[in-house]
């Protein structure tokens, strides 16, 4: 009888350990699958580095450069910071975007389809330069595309 109780005790303990282990493994898998885009991109500094690269490419582009020509350094720094804040906060990072809404902000700039495709080309080149994996690249590209309806004015 005593031996039987000890056996049952060991069986229950094993069962509990297996269940706990399984639970931990399961929750580990679930959290990896549900990590924010912000985390998957490598956090604030990684997002800032890619954004800086894109920003430089946009300003240096022959057609797009007109949007940033003759702007003061301080205004450019402010815009860059707001762009980082916008992306970080939209990707689930710990930042509150204090800037303007996409539509009223860009309205009147006469941004056209060609501007848009040039901008997306620069974004993709920067993501490739920083070796951002394909899942995250698709997510970032998808996020940018989601803002297009508020930004492109001239079809
Ligand atoms: C061809 C595409 C685009 C062009 C030409 C463009 C142009 C500009 C320009 C000239 C400004 C400065 C406005 C000002 O100082 O008053 C600006 C600001 C900004 N843009 Fe864009 N933009 C484009 C696409 C985008 C996209 C795709 C996003 C978001 C993913 C974005 C987010 C922002 C933000 C957050 C600001 C600063 C907001 C603020 O000042 O409150 N832009 N953009």
């Amino acid at each position: 009888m005593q031996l039987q109780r000890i056996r049952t005790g060991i069986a229950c303990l094993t069962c509990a350990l297996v269940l706990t282990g399984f639970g931990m493994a399961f929750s580990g898998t679930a959290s990896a699958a549900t990590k924010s885009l912000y985390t998957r991109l490598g956090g604030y500094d990684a997002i800032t580095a890619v954004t800086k690269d894109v920003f430089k490419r946009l300003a240096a582009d022959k057609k797009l450069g007109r949007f940033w020509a003759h702007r003061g350094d301080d205004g450019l720094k402010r815009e860059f910071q707001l762009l980082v804040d916008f992306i970080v906060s939209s990707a689930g990072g710990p930042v509150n975007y204090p800037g303007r809404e996409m539509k009223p902000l860009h309205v009147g700039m006469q941004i056209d389809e060609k501007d848009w495709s040039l901008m997306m080309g620069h974004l993709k080149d920067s993501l490739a330069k920083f070796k951002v994996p394909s899942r995250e690249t698709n997510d970032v590209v998808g996020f940018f595309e989601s803002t297009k309806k508020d930004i492109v004015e001239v079809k």
Side-chain angles (χ1 to χ4, degrees), residues 65-120:
R66 72 186 193 281
F67 292 106
W68 293 279
H70 315 299
R71 297 268 316 274
D73 287 350
D74 199 54
L76 289 174
K77 272 188 203 155
R78 181 180 172 279
E79 184 188 335
F80 172 72
Q81 187 56 56
L82 285 166
L83 189 55
V84 171
D85 291 346
F86 182 69
I87 297 167
V88 166
S89 104
S90 306
V95 162
N96 174 45
Y97 168 63
R100 291 168 283 169
E101 295 287 324
M102 289 300 109
K103 197 164 187 160
L105 154 65
H106 293 95
V107 86
M109 289 187 200
Q110 300 288 303
I111 297 172
D112 61 26
E113 289 286 347
K114 181 71 186 159
D115 294 326
W116 184 263
S117 64
L118 287 169
M119 188 272 300
M120 291 304 286

Side-chain angles (χ1 to χ4, degrees), residues 21-103:
F22 183 74
M24 281 166 68
F26 181 74
S27 63
T29 311
S31 70
T34 55
K35 271 184 188 165
S36 68
L37 178 57
Y38 168 80
T39 304
R40 288 187 283 120
L41 284 170
Y44 191 92
D45 290 351
I47 292 175
T48 304
V50 179
T51 309
K52 189 178 251 177
D53 194 72
V54 180
F55 204 66
K56 268 193 203 158
R57 287 171 194 260
L58 296 179
D61 184 287
K62 268 192 187 162
K63 184 171 186 314
L64 295 176
R66 72 186 193 281
F67 292 106
W68 293 279
H70 315 299
R71 297 268 316 274
D73 287 350
D74 199 54
L76 289 174
K77 272 188 203 155
R78 181 180 172 279
E79 184 188 335
F80 172 72
Q81 187 56 56
L82 285 166
L83 189 55
V84 171
D85 291 346
F86 182 69
I87 297 167
V88 166
S89 104
S90 306
V95 162
N96 174 45
Y97 168 63
R100 291 168 283 169
E101 295 287 324
M102 289 300 109
K103 197 164 187 160

